[in-house]
């Protein structure tokens, strides 16, 4: 049974006094000129931030003061200024992320409120978005169901994962354990170059080559299939999976591999029974990051899909493709207003929450792998 630490009033007061004493010591040990410089920089940056939020035309003045104070501090008191700048950037990152969260959730709320359904006399905001299948922002009855787009996103993600996971892990295993150094130095930059190719290029190749071929081979009316969108997105996610999985495989201690080989196992047996199991958490994190890339992909899906929200019949039919959450936003954001625009923000909220949980999950799994291989508790 775990006993949680308890804090009484006296302990809290002691902690506060300790922090106040640290602050006094810092003030006593720091030159007055440095304290004034840091204070001016901090206050001017705060004023610039407030002016930015208030959309004031005078925002540039405190920001200019901040730049001057920072430049002076960097010349005269570089160490203290560097500490303040790093703290400022950290706080700014948290504030920006918080403002983004507040903005997208606030913009999404009107549609969530509009889609309220009553269940057993209890109104549930947004329920209609997930229990109906009609997306009709113009023709009455006005409905903003996101079920068809969630369905399309799930299908594309499953296909992309089926492409990126095995190919990425196999490529990472080859680069980490099999490939000679010369081959590794040639192949790894090539894989990383794939990550730098714009997604619109992948989408254009899929639209001009894969989609017409699929239409001819499978007698599909029109272009755009979840199958080939998933294949293209899977190839786009491949560099992410390869890079992270290779790092995980390289983190396995050499002593574990050498010990296995010393017992008479082959290289393949060592890779499958020692290296992969030991790095399984990191490899899983790589796949999760690849899934996050697949979920958030926009341009390739927008170019290749039809852009007509609806469910395929049957639901597992991947030879037709209508819309995903990302392609819905990209195709409609320019012309949307009112509740339709708010519905697009709801789609963004869903994507944000999904990718956030995948990222947190991958980081947690990777941390567990480091803890396991490092031998710490």
């Amino acid at each position: 049974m775990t006993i949680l630490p308890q804090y009484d009033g006296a302990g809290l007061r002691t902690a506060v006094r300790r922090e106040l004493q640290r602050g006094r010591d810092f003030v006593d040990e720091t030159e007055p000129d440095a304290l004034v410089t840091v204070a001016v920089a901090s206050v001017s940056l705060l004023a610039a931030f407030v002016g930015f939020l208030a959309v004031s035309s005078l925002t540039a003045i405190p920001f200019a003061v901040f730049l001057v104070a920072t430049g002076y501090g960097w010349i005269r008191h570089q160490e203290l200024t560097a500490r303040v700048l790093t703290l400022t950037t950290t706080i700014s990152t948290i504030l920006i992320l918080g403002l983004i969260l507040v903005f997208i959730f606030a913009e999404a709320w009107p549609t969530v409120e509009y889609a309220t359904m009553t269940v057993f006399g209890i109104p549930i905001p947004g329920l209609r978005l997930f229990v109906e299948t009609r997306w009709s922002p113009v023709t009455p009855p006005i409905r903003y169901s996101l079920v068809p787009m969630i369905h399309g996103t799930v299908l594309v993600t499953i296909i992309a994962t089926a492409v990126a996971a095995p190919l990425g892990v196999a490529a990472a295993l080859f680069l980490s354990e099999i490939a000679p150094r010369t081959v590794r130095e040639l192949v790894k930059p090539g894989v990383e170059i794939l990550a730098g190719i714009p997604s619109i290029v992948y989408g254009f190749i899929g639209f001009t080559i894969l989609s017409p071929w699929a239409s001819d081979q499978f007698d599909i009316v029109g272009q755009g299939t979840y199958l080939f969108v998933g294949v293209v997105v899977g190839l786009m996610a491949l560099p992410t999976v390869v890079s992270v999985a290779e790092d995980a495989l390289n983190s396995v201690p050499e002593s574990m591999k050498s010990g296995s080989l010393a017992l008479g196992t082959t290289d393949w047996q060592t890779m499958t029974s020692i290296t992969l199991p030991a790095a399984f958490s990191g490899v899983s994190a790589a796949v999760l990051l690849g899934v996050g890339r697949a979920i958030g992909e926009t341009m390739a899906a927008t170019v290749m899909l039809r852009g007509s929200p609806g469910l395929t019949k049957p639901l597992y039919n991947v030879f037709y493709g209508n819309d995903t959450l990302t392609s819905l936003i990209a195709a409609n954001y320019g012309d949307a207003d009112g509740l339709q625009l708010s519905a697009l923000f709801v789609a963004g909220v869903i994507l944000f929450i999904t990718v956030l949980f995948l990222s947190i999950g991958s980081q947690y799994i990777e941390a567990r792998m480091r803890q396991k291989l490092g031998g710490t508790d």
Side-chain angles (χ1 to χ4, degrees):
M1 179 177 178
T2 302
I3 301 177
L4 297 176
Q6 296 181 355
Y7 300 95
D8 54 12
L12 182 60
R13 286 192 295 271
T14 302
V16 171
R17 282 196 297 268
R18 188 187 308 118
E19 294 300 322
L20 290 175
Q21 185 60 44
R22 288 180 58 186
R24 295 192 192 98
D25 293 340
F26 172 77
V27 172
D28 293 338
E29 296 170 0
T30 306
E31 299 178 10
D33 181 51
L35 290 176
V36 172
T37 302
V38 169
V40 170
S42 302
V43 172
S44 58
L45 182 61
L46 179 61
F49 179 72
V50 173
F52 173 77
L53 294 180
V55 196
S56 172
S57 58
L58 303 177
T59 302
I61 296 177
F63 187 71
V65 174
F66 166 75
L67 293 178
V68 172
T70 302
Y72 174 79
W74 189 262
I75 296 173
R76 297 295 301 274
H77 315 284
Q78 190 175 58
E79 182 178 354
L80 179 60
T81 304
R83 290 171 58 187
V84 172
L85 283 177
T86 53
L87 176 62
T88 300
T89 54
T90 302
I91 296 175
S92 299
T93 302
I94 297 174
L95 284 176
I96 291 171
L97 179 59
L99 289 174
I100 291 174
L101 284 173
V102 172
F103 177 76
I104 62 174
F105 277 91
E107 292 293 322
W109 178 252
T111 296
V112 174
E113 190 175 24
Y114 174 80
T116 300
M117 286 187 67
T118 301
V119 179
F120 301 114
I122 302 174
I124 302 178
L127 183 59
R128 186 179 285 119
L129 296 171
F130 306 103
V131 298
E132 297 182 351
T133 60
R134 175 184 171 86
W135 172 272
S136 180
V138 178
T139 306
I142 304 299
R143 292 292 183 267
Y144 300 102
S145 173
L146 296 177
V147 172
M149 283 64 74
I150 294 175
H151 168 257
T153 301
V154 170
L155 287 181
V156 169
T157 302
I158 291 174
I159 296 169
T161 304
V163 172
L167 290 180
V169 173
L173 193 60
F174 172 77
L175 292 174
S176 176
E177 304 295 327
I178 301 175
R181 181 176 180 180
T182 304
V183 175
R184 185 184 303 113
E185 291 178 351
L186 291 174
V187 173
K188 189 171 182 179
V191 173
E192 294 174 350
I193 288 174
L194 293 176
I197 299 176
S199 59
I200 188 68
V201 175
Y202 286 99
F204 185 72
I205 293 174
F207 179 76
T208 57
I209 298 176
L210 289 179
S211 292
W213 179 83
S215 298
D216 295 337
Q217 294 297 318
F218 301 105
D219 295 327
I220 299 173
V221 179
Q223 293 192 7
T225 66
Y226 289 136
L227 175 63
F228 289 102
V229 172
V231 170
V232 170
V233 173
L235 294 176
M236 294 176 61
L238 196 58
T240 301
V241 179
V242 173
S243 297
V244 180
E246 186 192 6
D247 291 340
L249 294 170
N250 287 333
S251 67
V252 177
E254 193 64 32
S255 58
M256 296 177 65
K257 306 174 190 177
S258 300
S260 174
L261 293 173
L263 293 175
T265 62
T266 62
D267 290 337
W268 175 249
Q269 290 173 329
T270 298
M271 284 187 287
T272 55
S273 61
I274 300 297
T275 306
L276 272 178
F280 180 77
S281 297
V283 173
S284 301
V287 174
L288 283 179
L289 289 175
V291 171
R293 172 70 189 273
I295 292 175
E297 177 48 44
T298 302
M299 293 312 302
T302 304
V303 170
M304 295 181 65
L305 292 175
R306 290 178 171 84
S308 56
L311 295 173
T312 58
K313 296 181 181 181
L315 293 177
Y316 55 82
N317 183 5
V318 296
F319 292 99
Y320 284 87
N322 296 317
D323 237 336
T324 63
L325 290 169
T326 53
S327 63
L328 176 76
I329 296 172
N332 294 276
Y333 187 79
D335 300 325
D337 60 357
L339 286 177
Q340 183 181 2
L341 181 61
S342 178
L344 299 183
F345 274 100
V346 176
V349 168
I350 295 173
L351 289 170
F352 179 85
I353 293 175
T354 303
V355 175
L356 177 65
F357 275 101
L358 286 175
S359 299
I360 293 174
S362 66
Q363 292 177 11
Y364 173 76
I365 292 173
E366 194 169 358
R368 288 291 300 272
M369 183 199 72
R370 291 198 185 99
Q371 186 183 49
K372 176 182 177 182
L373 295 180
T376 57
D377 293 333

